[in-house]
Every structure is written in structure tokens, then in C-alpha cells.
Amino acid sequence: MNFAPLPSVDVAAVPSDGFVLDVREDNEWAAGHVEGALHIPMSDFVARFGELTEAADDGRRVHVMCRVGGRSAQVTQYLVQQGVDAVNIDGGMLAWEGAGRPMVTDNGEPAFVL
């Protein structure tokens, strides 16, 4: 069996206005996330798939994010199989934070990666 290599990008390659899907759990999201990202925890993903297709119905590339890249790789693979233009963000939120990319919280507290 041959599996196509998973499409992935470095955090630096994610456009500042890029569409980011965060598949981390609620507590991880609350600690800090990319402003404007869509949050659907991986555990809810299949049930909430319609939220993603609605948000990305303009055909935008979906940049999938988790903490280090493992969960987001699985979701990216699923999305690609569904015909969605999706890429995994290498290194996830830890790489995002390490690159100094902006993060926010919903409560105004300083953002960090849980």
C-alpha cells in the first residue's frame, strides 16, 4: 500500500491571514491559540466536520494545528481524503510559539502553549 506524503508546512509559511484549524482540546485552546483560528477538538472532529466545510467553503487552504503535529497530521490526512485542501503545520503550537508568531487567549491572560 502506498500512502501519499502528508502535505505539511513550516509555521513561517502560514500566511498571517491564513485559515487555521486548531484541533487541540478545550484546555489547550484556552491557554493560547492563533487569533481567528477555528477550534474543533480532534475528539469532536467527525461530528463537527460540517463546521469546517462551512468555514472553508471558499476553497481556502486549511492549516491544521495541534500542540506538536501528531493529532493535526491525522486530521489533515482525513481532510485530504475528503478532498479538502489541507496542510499540517509542522511542530504545531510549540513551533508557532518558538517562531514568535502571535497568540491570544479569550480572557486576555498572557497566551502560552499547554
Side-chain angles (χ1 to χ4, degrees):
M1 278 166 63
N2 270 347
F3 290 101
L6 190 69
S8 62
V9 294
D10 188 80
V11 292
V14 180
S16 56
D17 62 348
F19 181 76
V20 175
L21 169 67
D22 190 322
V23 299
R24 297 175 302 151
E25 295 304 315
D26 291 339
N27 60 333
E28 295 174 286
W29 167 267
H33 54 266
V34 177
E35 188 166 12
L38 175 65
H39 178 225
I40 304 178
M42 184 174 161
S43 52
D44 298 341
F45 192 75
V46 175
R48 294 175 59 188
F49 181 65
E51 290 176 47
L52 172 76
T53 54
E54 201 173 292
D57 68 354
D58 54 5
R60 287 186 288 174
R61 168 165 282 182
V62 178
H63 300 84
V64 189
M65 171 84 84
C66 69
R67 184 169 183 268
V68 291
R71 287 171 287 179
S72 54
Q74 294 175 52
V75 172
T76 300
Q77 190 168 29
Y78 176 79
L79 290 173
V80 169
Q81 289 168 346
Q82 307 303 315
V84 175
D85 178 12
V87 293
N88 188 34
I89 299 176
D90 277 337
M93 282 300 292
L94 288 176
W96 186 273
E97 182 181 48
R101 300 288 305 255
M103 300 189 309
V104 297
T105 60
D106 293 335
N107 61 9
E109 295 287 317
F112 67 96
V113 177
L114 187 66

